[in-house]
Amino acid sequence: MAISTGSKIIKTAVFISGTGSNLKSLIKFSKLKKSPISINLIISNNPKSKGLEYANIFKIKKKVFTFKNTTDEKKILFELKKDKIDLICLAGFMKILSKTFIKSFNGKILNIHPSLLPKFKGLNTHERAINNKEKYSGCTVHFVNSKLDSGKIILQKKVKIKKDDT
């Protein structure tokens, strides 16, 4: 499942729903001299996503799809193929992609998830970790498969939960 395009820059699309803090970090990383990626497309399901401002700031193509009907995924796949996108990164994207969509980009979709998977899949991860009296929380980057937050883990970073965290 490794993503490799040799020495070629990996054309990447980032899917967002909110403020775009992870998107901003990915853009900064893509601008480094030795970065293997370029961010070529930003897709959001939320027309009011603050993260879309980064598309303007960094002059990156952006598209908004509301996911109110099933044709949106077909339109997105068309855009991805048209722009020769090699990799998708879900960065705070709050929609579940269909099995058909995932299969069409098999092994080339990554997700940034705000918990130490396999614990706390889905939503409200921090609240659930605190309510469960966990000592640590963190972040996981993993491959996307057809089961929610269950793909092969690439990287995890652990942080201590402090007594006054909310």
Side-chain angles (χ1 to χ4, degrees):
M1 253 206 220
I3 297 165
S4 175
T5 58
S7 60
K8 184 182 120 186
I9 296 293
I10 301 166
K11 292 182 84 172
T12 305
V14 182
F15 288 27
I16 63 169
S17 294
T19 60
S21 56
N22 285 322
L23 169 63
K24 184 179 179 186
S25 295
L26 287 166
I27 292 169
K28 281 183 173 181
F29 175 73
S30 76
K31 301 291 183 193
L32 297 176
K33 200 174 211 171
K34 292 187 178 185
S35 176
I37 66 168
S38 64
I39 310 291
N40 298 82
L41 179 61
I42 298 167
I43 290 180
S44 181
N45 65 309
N46 176 5
K48 294 180 181 169
S49 168
K50 288 184 179 168
L52 289 170
E53 293 171 14
Y54 293 117
N56 299 331
I57 293 166
F58 293 99
K59 295 176 179 42
I60 300 169
K61 182 178 174 184
K62 67 180 175 187
K63 295 277 181 174
V64 176
F65 296 93
T66 58
F67 285 80
K68 286 200 167 53
N69 60 53
T70 55
T71 60
D72 277 351
E73 281 192 353
K74 288 178 184 153
K75 291 177 186 173
I76 292 168
L77 283 170
F78 175 79
E79 290 294 329
L80 296 170
K81 291 194 186 340
K82 185 174 79 176
D83 291 345
K84 296 180 172 74
I85 298 297
D86 301 309
L87 177 69
I88 297 170
C89 183
L90 307 180
F93 185 62
M94 303 307 287
K95 286 286 181 185
I96 295 174
L97 298 168
S98 72
K99 288 178 183 173
T100 305
F101 186 95
I102 292 166
K103 210 176 263 184
S104 66
F105 247 82
N106 195 22
K108 295 184 179 180
I109 305 175
L110 306 179
N111 184 36
I112 301 169
H113 183 77
S115 81
L116 296 173
L117 292 174
K119 282 190 173 183
F120 309 115
K121 296 175 182 181
L123 302 174
N124 306 314
T125 58
H126 301 304
E127 180 183 357
R128 289 162 50 212
I130 289 168
N131 289 345
N132 204 48
K133 301 198 182 341
E134 297 290 330
K135 288 183 171 41
Y136 295 93
S137 186
C139 183
T140 302
V141 177
H142 66 92
F143 286 101
V144 172
N145 63 18
S146 60
K147 293 183 185 159
L148 180 69
D149 296 327
S150 298
K152 185 178 177 209
I153 293 171
I154 300 165
L155 179 72
Q156 288 186 311
K157 185 70 177 174
K158 185 165 71 168
V159 294
K160 189 162 180 44
I161 297 175
K162 298 174 184 162
K163 297 237 186 282
D164 58 347
D165 280 346
T166 60

